[in-house]
Amino acid sequence: MRPEILASWQRSQSLGIDRERAALPIESDLDPDSRLIRAATPVLDHLYERFAGVPVTVALADSRANIVDRWGDPAGLRLMDAASLVPGANVDERFMGTSSVSMVLSTRAPFVVVGHEHFLHDLKELTCMAAPVRDPVGGTVRGAVNLSVPRELANPGMALVLQDATERIEERLLELSTAREVQLMRSFQRARERGGHAELELGSGELSRLGGPAPRLTSQERLILLERAVELISSTGETFAEVPLAGSRTALLRRRELHHGDAEGAAVEVSFEEARGTGLTGRTTATGPDGRRVPLLDRPAEAAEANDRGATAEPQAAGPADAWLLLVGEPGVGRLAAEARGRLSLLNEAGVRLGTTLDMRRTAEELAEIAVPRFADLVVVDLMDCVLAGEEPPAGRLRPDVALRRVAARTGEESRDFAIAGADEPVGYPAGTPQARCLETGKPVTDSVMTAALAGHPADRVHPVDLLGEGVHSYLGAPLSARGSVLGLAGFYRRGRTRPYEQDDLTLAGELAARAAISVDNARRYRREHQASLTLQRSLLPRALPRLSAVDLASRYLPADARAGVGGDWFDAIPLSGMRVALVVGDVPGNGLQAAATMGRLRTAVRTLAGLDLLPEEVLAHLDDLVSRAPDDSAGGQDPATGTTCLYVIYDPVSCRCTAARAGHPPPAVLKPGGRAELIDLPAGPPLGLGGIQPYESATVDLPADSLLTMYTDGLLKESRGYGDTEAHTGRLLDSLNQAGPALEDICDRVADTLPPGGPHDDVALLLARVHALPEDRVASWEFPSEPSAVARARELTRAQLAAWGMSELDFNTGLVVSELVTNAVRYGGQGPVGLRLLRDDSLICEVSDRSNTSPRIRRAATTEEGGRGLFLVAQFTKSWGARFMPQGKTVWAEQIPQPEQPASEPDEQALLAMFDDAG
């Protein structure tokens, strides 16, 4: 069974309709001479004659599902009588259950119900096909035509013939409407002949009357007058209007009732006067219900006496009165014109208000706010979970069981106090529901919602019945489609059935949903890129700062607001030899994926250069050289990292000195124990990629133990889109540091509080470091003359120091390392003294210094060579080793990790020699 039929059956069962014999209400007050019957009768007579010899029955129902006429052979009509399908019977789903007419009036589209799909047993041998009859002016459904035939005789061609018949009825309705308009115009022409009126030429804008010229109107003035005339014709209470015009003029519009047979309409006349009351035309005034004096246009004396009791004649201007016909029409047609203009106004408002933010939920809320109450009494918007997550939606139509989430719901003023059920919760639409049909077809659909049929039913979760109230309501579902994919669904509800959704409403809802979908898709794509940028940047930032003995670290990364996007700010802490640490903060220009990728490239380059133990100014010089090289010299391109700022700091816990250099970056702030926060005076170097203007220089400052070093990017100092008062922002930063407590995380929060309330306008990277000094009892240093005897002396002093530190388990390895490093320094280190320093922390670091700038390297000695194995042995018996250069000379260092629980066994001579045997 089709899902739509199944859903209708479920509603019918929940309503308790008797399947054996339904109790149909009978409407006795039917208009036998209505326009629908007059237009349909000759067409349906011909339709019935076309099926002569075939047992068919034809029924015409009005927009309320009442049967107003029927055709058929006597046997067929008797069957209809037995099923209570008599003129005046209401065949709505509420009383009859599933039927073709009820499905047409609910879905506003042709529908066929086959045999067993009928809810009533009396109709199961029939196939019933029905099609809507639409008013050609406005597109409203005026009724439906049903064709019933025995199931075995039905064929698809009958539905096509029925469709042709309904189209012919619609043409006749248009002919009748045109005849009514002609009658109304003739009625006014006769009145004009009596009153001496003239016509308004809309094409040329000429207002002419026989015997004299008249004022001219601009195109904008003509448009305003026509719009106001349409409002007057469609209004039931207003009879006049004043429209101010250019040149101190006022247009007076007056509505006149017109009658001709059953045709009822109105005419709007216009006259003009000066704003100060110097009339181009004589006026008559009357006292309105509120006591105001109402201006009236000149009319024949007998008409004025009949309609305007109490009117007082004012002095007439010289010459006859000037009044021009502006518009003639029926109130219903005027109402349709006003509604059409309202739809255009709604679309125009949607173009201005939809998508003001790159936020999907806010866009859905804007759609609901625009539609209520002008288009709907209740609006709910559902989006796919994957769309909300920024993922790509599936192409094509959606299955009914797709995961949706209600992101917006809005109702009219009278229901403000009620909570919207299911807001921000998952929703699902069973097959057969109008929502499911909308998602499957990808087109707007309309249907009726019966709250009585939803009570206690699974579909109760589909519609917000608590807000709809009792009765039958109109529903319109429109898919949110963009770039060939359905992103979600917008549901529009109108209480009651006085204003059912028609074809024009389907078009309007589809356009509103399409515009909202474009904004939602833009927000989704932006969210995806923003999340990708943020994920990339966070993955390129340190996952966790290292735990170091020299400094305690804390950091914050605060992304910019949604408009600015993710930037290229970064920070890092890099352990160096000798228990030193390099602290880095940088800022890549721009935002988005490009900035995040560039940041990752520079951060990798900084870590590589830091591993070479270069001085801060040398690191920045190498970075500048890297950025200055264009990616494609032939194309004259520029590296996206050009303009990057960077601050590079090295802290040595042994000497308690901080050496720093900056490339266009704000200087760090330092808070020494017992002092006040201040900025470190550093030479200002150019941003990366702009080097060559001046060399980078570093400065060295002493930092006592427990000093607080603060490094940050310029986003912390920015105000709106510019820097604003930088000194004021810097002052707030220093004040927040002066009031800081011992906890670094609390200091980060305090510094973040100095940002504007709406969040930073540029990314902010913040790195805090509380420095510590290495105690003197953990440092041992000696200096030896550059002679062979220094090797034995160095080994002896090292063994004694290890014993004093309780690290005798490292005696053999450390002795071997000291012997090899001091021997190399004596042989190749020049004539200067040789320095030996031991640093004890979680590890043991052995450093040997000499005056040579030659870089040591490991080489594999041949089998017959007696030397060349020193550094190879050092690498084998230590965790890591390396060399760093000083202004004069170099230092070779090696680090070992104590393992007291599993002391390393001392290899014998054969094991050492076996390490150098050639394979095979």
Side-chain angles (χ1 to χ4, degrees), residues 528-545:
R528 181 181 63 180
E529 180 177 347
H530 186 268
Q531 289 287 66
S533 303
L534 190 60
T535 301
L536 175 61
Q537 187 174 41
R538 290 192 182 277
S539 66
L540 296 174
L541 290 173
R543 293 181 178 272
L545 292 173

Side-chain angles (χ1 to χ4, degrees), residues 119 242 254 277 403 439 569 574 616-617 686 744 764 803 847:
F119 189 76
E242 294 186 4
R254 178 72 183 182
L439 294 175
D569 295 16
I574 309 169
E617 63 270 24
L744 292 183
V764 174
E847 298 180 343

